[in-house]
Structure formats: structure tokens, C-alpha cells
Amino acid sequence: PVKVALASLLGMYNPAMVSDSSFDLATIVFGLGTIVFGGIIHPSVGIAVLVLFRPWIDGYTFPTDNLYFVSGVFVLTALWAVRVALRGGRIRGLAFAAPLALFLAVALAGLSRAWEINTTSRQLLLWFSYLMLFLLTLNSATSRMSVGIMLGGLCATMGLEALFAILHYEFLLPFLRELVKNPAV
């Protein structure tokens, strides 16, 4: 029941189909919780954690997986906005974000003429999260340490992706090639 309730809260199409043996849902909740706790510490820590987790969610093959990424970005942005409101300050980088905001405004104006409104609106939400992440990153780079944390998360992510690519090429692809040779498959 807990898995089904969490699945419905996280926007799964059919929460009743959650597997009893799968830990995917627990992984997503852990990931979002880690992003939230990182964002509470400092927005740059939350961004670094988000960057570390993003490559492992396949938003191109499974578009609903982007929901988790977008949720993470919006939670981090909300935590940052509360921090700015309580401590005071200004929002930096609006001029740099203006071209992307203009693109989103034009795309939103054409939404009523879109061929697939559901797909288009999902993509607009994803692009809006990119805009929020861009502004959040610009405003989180307030010290050398925060920039170092974000760049460290990016470098760690690139290293992990490179390791995964090597392991994929050396072990998974040969296994899949042998599997495909089976006529039953």
C-alpha cells in the first residue's frame, strides 16, 4: 500500500502495477530526498546532487522520468526563493536568461496549435525547468566554494558516465549481441 500511494503521488500511470520486488520507487524517493536535503544545506549542493542523479534517469526513452528531474529543479528553486525572501537579496542573471524565457513565451503562444498538446506541454515544462535551473545556478554561484561544489558534481558525473560507457561497451554490449543471435528472441 505504501508503494502504491507513493507511486500515485509521483505521477505513475498505473500505481497498482508497482512491483513488490522493485526498489525503483524507493530509489526515486531517496534521490528527491537527497536533492531536498542538499538544497537545504545550500542550493549549490542541491544542484550538484541533481547533476549526479540526472544521467541515471532516462527522460528520452521514458518521458515521465523527466517528472522527477523537473520536480527536483522546482523544489531547489523553491528552497532558493525562500532563502532569498528571508535573507533579502536580488535575483541575478535575468538578462542572460531572457533569450530562453523569450523562446518559452513564443512556444507557449503556439501551444494551442501544437500537433500533440500533451507532448508539447511536457516539453515546455521541461524547458521551463531548464530556465529555472539556469537562473538557480547563476544565483547559487556566490562564492568560490559554491562554484567548486557545482563543478565538482559535474566532474564526478562525467567520470561516472565515462566509467558506465566503458563497462557498457565491454560487458553489456557483447551480452546483448549474443542474446540477439538467439532466434527465439
mmCIF file of all heavy atoms in Angstrom, residues 35-75:
data_model
loop_
_atom_site.group_PDB
_atom_site.id
_atom_site.type_symbol
_atom_site.label_atom_id
_atom_site.label_comp_id
_atom_site.label_asym_id
_atom_site.label_seq_id
_atom_site.Cartn_x
_atom_site.Cartn_y
_atom_site.Cartn_z
ATOM 1 N N ILE A 35 18.225 15.395 -2.837
ATOM 2 C CA ILE A 35 18.265 16.699 -3.503
ATOM 3 C C ILE A 35 17.691 17.778 -2.578
ATOM 4 O O ILE A 35 18.250 18.871 -2.453
ATOM 5 C CB ILE A 35 17.513 16.644 -4.850
ATOM 6 C CG1 ILE A 35 18.291 15.794 -5.837
ATOM 7 C CG2 ILE A 35 17.270 18.037 -5.407
ATOM 8 C CD1 ILE A 35 17.516 15.417 -7.085
ATOM 9 N N VAL A 36 16.587 17.462 -1.907
ATOM 10 C CA VAL A 36 15.974 18.427 -0.984
ATOM 11 C C VAL A 36 16.930 18.745 0.158
ATOM 12 O O VAL A 36 17.147 19.922 0.490
ATOM 13 C CB VAL A 36 14.625 17.894 -0.453
ATOM 14 C CG1 VAL A 36 14.133 18.714 0.719
ATOM 15 C CG2 VAL A 36 13.588 17.876 -1.561
ATOM 16 N N PHE A 37 17.510 17.726 0.775
ATOM 17 C CA PHE A 37 18.432 17.975 1.890
ATOM 18 C C PHE A 37 19.661 18.740 1.425
ATOM 19 O O PHE A 37 20.153 19.622 2.135
ATOM 20 C CB PHE A 37 18.828 16.672 2.576
ATOM 21 C CG PHE A 37 17.725 16.085 3.408
ATOM 22 C CD1 PHE A 37 17.363 14.766 3.258
ATOM 23 C CD2 PHE A 37 17.037 16.860 4.328
ATOM 24 C CE1 PHE A 37 16.336 14.227 4.003
ATOM 25 C CE2 PHE A 37 16.005 16.332 5.085
ATOM 26 C CZ PHE A 37 15.651 14.999 4.929
ATOM 27 N N GLY A 38 20.160 18.423 0.225
ATOM 28 C CA GLY A 38 21.278 19.191 -0.322
ATOM 29 C C GLY A 38 20.902 20.642 -0.544
ATOM 30 O O GLY A 38 21.683 21.553 -0.261
ATOM 31 N N GLY A 39 19.685 20.884 -1.049
ATOM 32 C CA GLY A 39 19.220 22.246 -1.274
ATOM 33 C C GLY A 39 19.015 23.019 0.007
ATOM 34 O O GLY A 39 19.164 24.240 0.036
ATOM 35 N N ILE A 40 18.672 22.319 1.088
ATOM 36 C CA ILE A 40 18.529 22.986 2.381
ATOM 37 C C ILE A 40 19.896 23.444 2.881
ATOM 38 O O ILE A 40 20.037 24.532 3.431
ATOM 39 C CB ILE A 40 17.819 22.057 3.397
ATOM 40 C CG1 ILE A 40 16.351 21.909 3.012
ATOM 41 C CG2 ILE A 40 17.958 22.581 4.815
ATOM 42 C CD1 ILE A 40 15.601 20.861 3.788
ATOM 43 N N ILE A 41 20.918 22.611 2.664
ATOM 44 C CA ILE A 41 22.272 22.997 3.069
ATOM 45 C C ILE A 41 22.701 24.240 2.301
ATOM 46 O O ILE A 41 23.081 25.244 2.872
ATOM 47 C CB ILE A 41 23.262 21.835 2.842
ATOM 48 C CG1 ILE A 41 22.920 20.672 3.775
ATOM 49 C CG2 ILE A 41 24.695 22.295 3.047
ATOM 50 C CD1 ILE A 41 23.655 19.393 3.458
ATOM 51 N N HIS A 42 22.672 24.150 0.984
ATOM 52 C CA HIS A 42 22.957 25.286 0.091
ATOM 53 C C HIS A 42 22.482 24.894 -1.294
ATOM 54 O O HIS A 42 22.591 23.728 -1.690
ATOM 55 C CB HIS A 42 24.458 25.609 0.072
ATOM 56 C CG HIS A 42 24.755 26.917 -0.588
ATOM 57 N ND1 HIS A 42 24.991 27.035 -1.930
ATOM 58 C CD2 HIS A 42 24.824 28.177 -0.082
ATOM 59 C CE1 HIS A 42 25.209 28.302 -2.237
ATOM 60 N NE2 HIS A 42 25.116 29.020 -1.127
ATOM 61 N N PRO A 43 21.949 25.831 -2.062
ATOM 62 C CA PRO A 43 21.470 25.492 -3.399
ATOM 63 C C PRO A 43 22.541 24.836 -4.283
ATOM 64 O O PRO A 43 22.230 23.970 -5.096
ATOM 65 C CB PRO A 43 21.028 26.835 -3.985
ATOM 66 C CG PRO A 43 20.687 27.662 -2.805
ATOM 67 C CD PRO A 43 21.621 27.227 -1.719
ATOM 68 N N SER A 44 23.805 25.218 -4.113
ATOM 69 C CA SER A 44 24.860 24.615 -4.935
ATOM 70 C C SER A 44 25.026 23.130 -4.620
ATOM 71 O O SER A 44 25.304 22.333 -5.519
ATOM 72 C CB SER A 44 26.184 25.353 -4.739
ATOM 73 O OG SER A 44 26.614 25.267 -3.400
ATOM 74 N N VAL A 45 24.823 22.735 -3.370
ATOM 75 C CA VAL A 45 24.895 21.315 -3.008
ATOM 76 C C VAL A 45 23.724 20.564 -3.652
ATOM 77 O O VAL A 45 23.892 19.467 -4.187
ATOM 78 C CB VAL A 45 24.896 21.143 -1.472
ATOM 79 C CG1 VAL A 45 24.865 19.672 -1.086
ATOM 80 C CG2 VAL A 45 26.101 21.828 -0.856
ATOM 81 N N GLY A 46 22.533 21.155 -3.607
ATOM 82 C CA GLY A 46 21.377 20.549 -4.256
ATOM 83 C C GLY A 46 21.571 20.399 -5.759
ATOM 84 O O GLY A 46 21.210 19.380 -6.339
ATOM 85 N N ILE A 47 22.162 21.408 -6.388
ATOM 86 C CA ILE A 47 22.425 21.330 -7.835
ATOM 87 C C ILE A 47 23.433 20.227 -8.117
ATOM 88 O O ILE A 47 23.273 19.460 -9.077
ATOM 89 C CB ILE A 47 22.921 22.689 -8.366
ATOM 90 C CG1 ILE A 47 21.789 23.709 -8.333
ATOM 91 C CG2 ILE A 47 23.478 22.559 -9.779
ATOM 92 C CD1 ILE A 47 22.218 25.130 -8.612
ATOM 93 N N ALA A 48 24.485 20.118 -7.296
ATOM 94 C CA ALA A 48 25.488 19.069 -7.502
ATOM 95 C C ALA A 48 24.860 17.679 -7.389
ATOM 96 O O ALA A 48 25.146 16.793 -8.200
ATOM 97 C CB ALA A 48 26.629 19.228 -6.497
ATOM 98 N N VAL A 49 23.981 17.495 -6.411
ATOM 99 C CA VAL A 49 23.312 16.197 -6.252
ATOM 100 C C VAL A 49 22.388 15.942 -7.439
ATOM 101 O O VAL A 49 22.336 14.828 -7.971
ATOM 102 C CB VAL A 49 22.534 16.144 -4.915
ATOM 103 C CG1 VAL A 49 21.708 14.885 -4.804
ATOM 104 C CG2 VAL A 49 23.497 16.257 -3.745
ATOM 105 N N LEU A 50 21.661 16.957 -7.874
ATOM 106 C CA LEU A 50 20.777 16.824 -9.038
ATOM 107 C C LEU A 50 21.571 16.430 -10.278
ATOM 108 O O LEU A 50 21.159 15.554 -11.036
ATOM 109 C CB LEU A 50 20.026 18.135 -9.275
ATOM 110 C CG LEU A 50 19.012 18.148 -10.412
ATOM 111 C CD1 LEU A 50 17.806 17.306 -10.053
ATOM 112 C CD2 LEU A 50 18.591 19.570 -10.716
ATOM 113 N N VAL A 51 22.718 17.049 -10.479
ATOM 114 C CA VAL A 51 23.570 16.741 -11.629
ATOM 115 C C VAL A 51 24.095 15.309 -11.528
ATOM 116 O O VAL A 51 24.218 14.618 -12.533
ATOM 117 C CB VAL A 51 24.720 17.770 -11.726
ATOM 118 C CG1 VAL A 51 25.797 17.320 -12.682
ATOM 119 C CG2 VAL A 51 24.181 19.122 -12.158
ATOM 120 N N LEU A 52 24.392 14.854 -10.309
ATOM 121 C CA LEU A 52 24.856 13.478 -10.136
ATOM 122 C C LEU A 52 23.766 12.464 -10.472
ATOM 123 O O LEU A 52 24.049 11.403 -11.032
ATOM 124 C CB LEU A 52 25.330 13.250 -8.699
ATOM 125 C CG LEU A 52 26.735 13.711 -8.369
ATOM 126 C CD1 LEU A 52 26.969 13.673 -6.864
ATOM 127 C CD2 LEU A 52 27.761 12.848 -9.077
ATOM 128 N N PHE A 53 22.522 12.772 -10.143
ATOM 129 C CA PHE A 53 21.435 11.817 -10.362
ATOM 130 C C PHE A 53 20.834 11.877 -11.762
ATOM 131 O O PHE A 53 20.264 10.907 -12.228
ATOM 132 C CB PHE A 53 20.310 12.030 -9.339
ATOM 133 C CG PHE A 53 20.645 11.576 -7.955
ATOM 134 C CD1 PHE A 53 20.006 12.129 -6.866
ATOM 135 C CD2 PHE A 53 21.593 10.598 -7.723
ATOM 136 C CE1 PHE A 53 20.296 11.718 -5.574
ATOM 137 C CE2 PHE A 53 21.897 10.173 -6.441
ATOM 138 C CZ PHE A 53 21.242 10.736 -5.364
ATOM 139 N N ARG A 54 20.929 13.004 -12.449
ATOM 140 C CA ARG A 54 20.226 13.189 -13.726
ATOM 141 C C ARG A 54 20.567 12.157 -14.794
ATOM 142 O O ARG A 54 19.662 11.653 -15.466
ATOM 143 C CB ARG A 54 20.480 14.609 -14.256
ATOM 144 C CG ARG A 54 19.890 14.874 -15.622
ATOM 145 C CD ARG A 54 18.387 14.743 -15.614
ATOM 146 N NE ARG A 54 17.840 15.017 -16.925
ATOM 147 C CZ ARG A 54 16.727 14.489 -17.380
ATOM 148 N NH1 ARG A 54 16.033 13.685 -16.633
ATOM 149 N NH2 ARG A 54 16.278 14.778 -18.570
ATOM 150 N N PRO A 55 21.838 11.785 -15.010
ATOM 151 C CA PRO A 55 22.117 10.843 -16.101
ATOM 152 C C PRO A 55 21.510 9.455 -15.915
ATOM 153 O O PRO A 55 21.374 8.714 -16.879
ATOM 154 C CB PRO A 55 23.650 10.739 -16.111
ATOM 155 C CG PRO A 55 24.130 11.920 -15.401
ATOM 156 C CD PRO A 55 23.072 12.285 -14.411
ATOM 157 N N TRP A 56 21.137 9.105 -14.711
ATOM 158 C CA TRP A 56 20.623 7.757 -14.470
ATOM 159 C C TRP A 56 19.119 7.666 -14.691
ATOM 160 O O TRP A 56 18.537 6.596 -14.553
ATOM 161 C CB TRP A 56 20.989 7.317 -13.048
ATOM 162 C CG TRP A 56 22.447 7.525 -12.791
ATOM 163 C CD1 TRP A 56 22.994 8.449 -11.951
ATOM 164 C CD2 TRP A 56 23.547 6.868 -13.420
ATOM 165 N NE1 TRP A 56 24.359 8.383 -12.009
ATOM 166 C CE2 TRP A 56 24.731 7.426 -12.907
ATOM 167 C CE3 TRP A 56 23.654 5.864 -14.379
ATOM 168 C CZ2 TRP A 56 25.995 7.012 -13.310
ATOM 169 C CZ3 TRP A 56 24.910 5.453 -14.779
ATOM 170 C CH2 TRP A 56 26.065 6.011 -14.242
ATOM 171 N N ILE A 57 18.488 8.783 -15.027
ATOM 172 C CA ILE A 57 17.059 8.793 -15.331
ATOM 173 C C ILE A 57 16.923 9.015 -16.831
ATOM 174 O O ILE A 57 17.379 10.014 -17.362
ATOM 175 C CB ILE A 57 16.335 9.911 -14.553
ATOM 176 C CG1 ILE A 57 16.451 9.662 -13.058
ATOM 177 C CG2 ILE A 57 14.876 9.978 -14.945
ATOM 178 C CD1 ILE A 57 15.841 10.760 -12.217
ATOM 179 N N ASP A 58 16.297 8.066 -17.522
ATOM 180 C CA ASP A 58 16.233 8.089 -18.975
ATOM 181 C C ASP A 58 14.996 8.853 -19.439
ATOM 182 O O ASP A 58 13.952 8.273 -19.708
ATOM 183 C CB ASP A 58 16.218 6.661 -19.505
ATOM 184 C CG ASP A 58 16.390 6.603 -21.006
ATOM 185 O OD1 ASP A 58 16.569 7.666 -21.622
ATOM 186 O OD2 ASP A 58 16.344 5.501 -21.559
ATOM 187 N N GLY A 59 15.125 10.176 -19.534
ATOM 188 C CA GLY A 59 13.996 11.001 -19.920
ATOM 189 C C GLY A 59 13.685 10.979 -21.401
ATOM 190 O O GLY A 59 12.603 11.377 -21.816
ATOM 191 N N TYR A 60 14.633 10.512 -22.222
ATOM 192 C CA TYR A 60 14.358 10.445 -23.660
ATOM 193 C C TYR A 60 13.514 9.218 -23.990
ATOM 194 O O TYR A 60 12.566 9.286 -24.765
ATOM 195 C CB TYR A 60 15.666 10.404 -24.450
ATOM 196 C CG TYR A 60 16.415 11.706 -24.381
ATOM 197 C CD1 TYR A 60 17.577 11.824 -23.638
ATOM 198 C CD2 TYR A 60 15.933 12.821 -25.038
ATOM 199 C CE1 TYR A 60 18.257 13.026 -23.565
ATOM 200 C CE2 TYR A 60 16.599 14.035 -24.972
ATOM 201 C CZ TYR A 60 17.759 14.117 -24.232
ATOM 202 O OH TYR A 60 18.411 15.310 -24.152
ATOM 203 N N THR A 61 13.853 8.075 -23.400
ATOM 204 C CA THR A 61 13.102 6.857 -23.664
ATOM 205 C C THR A 61 11.789 6.834 -22.904
ATOM 206 O O THR A 61 10.768 6.412 -23.417
ATOM 207 C CB THR A 61 13.945 5.623 -23.276
ATOM 208 O OG1 THR A 61 15.210 5.710 -23.931
ATOM 209 C CG2 THR A 61 13.259 4.349 -23.688
ATOM 210 N N PHE A 62 11.837 7.284 -21.650
ATOM 211 C CA PHE A 62 10.654 7.291 -20.795
ATOM 212 C C PHE A 62 10.383 8.726 -20.362
ATOM 213 O O PHE A 62 10.912 9.179 -19.347
ATOM 214 C CB PHE A 62 10.880 6.392 -19.572
ATOM 215 C CG PHE A 62 11.317 5.002 -19.929
ATOM 216 C CD1 PHE A 62 12.641 4.622 -19.749
ATOM 217 C CD2 PHE A 62 10.420 4.095 -20.446
ATOM 218 C CE1 PHE A 62 13.055 3.340 -20.084
ATOM 219 C CE2 PHE A 62 10.819 2.815 -20.782
ATOM 220 C CZ PHE A 62 12.140 2.440 -20.605
ATOM 221 N N PRO A 63 9.569 9.478 -21.118
ATOM 222 C CA PRO A 63 9.372 10.906 -20.830
ATOM 223 C C PRO A 63 8.839 11.198 -19.433
ATOM 224 O O PRO A 63 9.103 12.262 -18.894
ATOM 225 C CB PRO A 63 8.371 11.357 -21.895
ATOM 226 C CG PRO A 63 8.458 10.359 -22.975
ATOM 227 C CD PRO A 63 8.856 9.068 -22.322
ATOM 228 N N THR A 64 8.125 10.254 -18.823
ATOM 229 C CA THR A 64 7.630 10.523 -17.472
ATOM 230 C C THR A 64 8.771 10.583 -16.463
ATOM 231 O O THR A 64 8.606 11.159 -15.382
ATOM 232 C CB THR A 64 6.612 9.460 -17.022
ATOM 233 O OG1 THR A 64 7.192 8.161 -17.206
ATOM 234 C CG2 THR A 64 5.329 9.566 -17.815
ATOM 235 N N ASP A 65 9.943 10.000 -16.800
ATOM 236 C CA ASP A 65 11.089 10.105 -15.893
ATOM 237 C C ASP A 65 11.547 11.543 -15.747
ATOM 238 O O ASP A 65 12.184 11.894 -14.751
ATOM 239 C CB ASP A 65 12.255 9.241 -16.384
ATOM 240 C CG ASP A 65 12.013 7.766 -16.096
ATOM 241 O OD1 ASP A 65 10.981 7.446 -15.484
ATOM 242 O OD2 ASP A 65 12.863 6.952 -16.474
ATOM 243 N N ASN A 66 11.252 12.386 -16.733
ATOM 244 C CA ASN A 66 11.602 13.799 -16.614
ATOM 245 C C ASN A 66 10.843 14.472 -15.480
ATOM 246 O O ASN A 66 11.282 15.500 -14.972
ATOM 247 C CB ASN A 66 11.317 14.539 -17.922
ATOM 248 C CG ASN A 66 12.322 14.192 -18.994
ATOM 249 O OD1 ASN A 66 13.492 13.961 -18.707
ATOM 250 N ND2 ASN A 66 11.868 14.160 -20.228
ATOM 251 N N LEU A 67 9.726 13.882 -15.080
ATOM 252 C CA LEU A 67 8.948 14.422 -13.972
ATOM 253 C C LEU A 67 9.799 14.517 -12.704
ATOM 254 O O LEU A 67 9.721 15.482 -11.960
ATOM 255 C CB LEU A 67 7.720 13.538 -13.721
ATOM 256 C CG LEU A 67 6.892 13.851 -12.492
ATOM 257 C CD1 LEU A 67 6.159 15.167 -12.673
ATOM 258 C CD2 LEU A 67 5.919 12.732 -12.201
ATOM 259 N N TYR A 68 10.643 13.526 -12.485
ATOM 260 C CA TYR A 68 11.479 13.526 -11.289
ATOM 261 C C TYR A 68 12.530 14.624 -11.369
ATOM 262 O O TYR A 68 12.795 15.302 -10.386
ATOM 263 C CB TYR A 68 12.144 12.165 -11.097
ATOM 264 C CG TYR A 68 11.162 11.025 -11.184
ATOM 265 C CD1 TYR A 68 11.337 9.997 -12.089
ATOM 266 C CD2 TYR A 68 10.037 10.998 -10.363
ATOM 267 C CE1 TYR A 68 10.429 8.958 -12.174
ATOM 268 C CE2 TYR A 68 9.121 9.965 -10.445
ATOM 269 C CZ TYR A 68 9.321 8.946 -11.354
ATOM 270 O OH TYR A 68 8.420 7.937 -11.433
ATOM 271 N N PHE A 69 13.118 14.800 -12.526
ATOM 272 C CA PHE A 69 14.110 15.856 -12.722
ATOM 273 C C PHE A 69 13.460 17.226 -12.541
ATOM 274 O O PHE A 69 13.973 18.082 -11.821
ATOM 275 C CB PHE A 69 14.728 15.735 -14.113
ATOM 276 C CG PHE A 69 15.617 16.873 -14.489
ATOM 277 C CD1 PHE A 69 16.859 17.030 -13.898
ATOM 278 C CD2 PHE A 69 15.216 17.783 -15.447
ATOM 279 C CE1 PHE A 69 17.689 18.080 -14.242
ATOM 280 C CE2 PHE A 69 16.029 18.834 -15.796
ATOM 281 C CZ PHE A 69 17.268 18.986 -15.196
ATOM 282 N N VAL A 70 12.327 17.434 -13.178
ATOM 283 C CA VAL A 70 11.607 18.709 -13.080
ATOM 284 C C VAL A 70 11.213 18.973 -11.626
ATOM 285 O O VAL A 70 11.347 20.094 -11.127
ATOM 286 C CB VAL A 70 10.372 18.705 -14.012
ATOM 287 C CG1 VAL A 70 9.462 19.871 -13.742
ATOM 288 C CG2 VAL A 70 10.813 18.691 -15.469
ATOM 289 N N SER A 71 10.756 17.939 -10.934
ATOM 290 C CA SER A 71 10.397 18.097 -9.517
ATOM 291 C C SER A 71 11.604 18.525 -8.704
ATOM 292 O O SER A 71 11.495 19.410 -7.842
ATOM 293 C CB SER A 71 9.847 16.790 -8.955
ATOM 294 O OG SER A 71 8.705 16.389 -9.651
ATOM 295 N N GLY A 72 12.743 17.913 -8.953
ATOM 296 C CA GLY A 72 13.960 18.289 -8.241
ATOM 297 C C GLY A 72 14.343 19.732 -8.488
ATOM 298 O O GLY A 72 14.698 20.466 -7.560
ATOM 299 N N VAL A 73 14.251 20.172 -9.743
ATOM 300 C CA VAL A 73 14.588 21.557 -10.083
ATOM 301 C C VAL A 73 13.622 22.517 -9.406
ATOM 302 O O VAL A 73 14.041 23.530 -8.831
ATOM 303 C CB VAL A 73 14.573 21.771 -11.615
ATOM 304 C CG1 VAL A 73 14.693 23.241 -11.962
ATOM 305 C CG2 VAL A 73 15.685 20.979 -12.279
ATOM 306 N N PHE A 74 12.331 22.216 -9.440
ATOM 307 C CA PHE A 74 11.348 23.118 -8.837
ATOM 308 C C PHE A 74 11.494 23.177 -7.314
ATOM 309 O O PHE A 74 11.337 24.240 -6.712
ATOM 310 C CB PHE A 74 9.936 22.724 -9.236
ATOM 311 C CG PHE A 74 9.609 23.036 -10.673
ATOM 312 C CD1 PHE A 74 8.527 22.455 -11.290
ATOM 313 C CD2 PHE A 74 10.386 23.905 -11.421
ATOM 314 C CE1 PHE A 74 8.221 22.741 -12.613
ATOM 315 C CE2 PHE A 74 10.087 24.196 -12.743
ATOM 316 C CZ PHE A 74 9.001 23.614 -13.338
ATOM 317 N N VAL A 75 11.796 22.053 -6.679
ATOM 318 C CA VAL A 75 11.998 22.056 -5.225
ATOM 319 C C VAL A 75 13.225 22.889 -4.880
ATOM 320 O O VAL A 75 13.197 23.706 -3.948
ATOM 321 C CB VAL A 75 12.126 20.610 -4.695
ATOM 322 C CG1 VAL A 75 12.680 20.586 -3.289
ATOM 323 C CG2 VAL A 75 10.785 19.909 -4.737
#
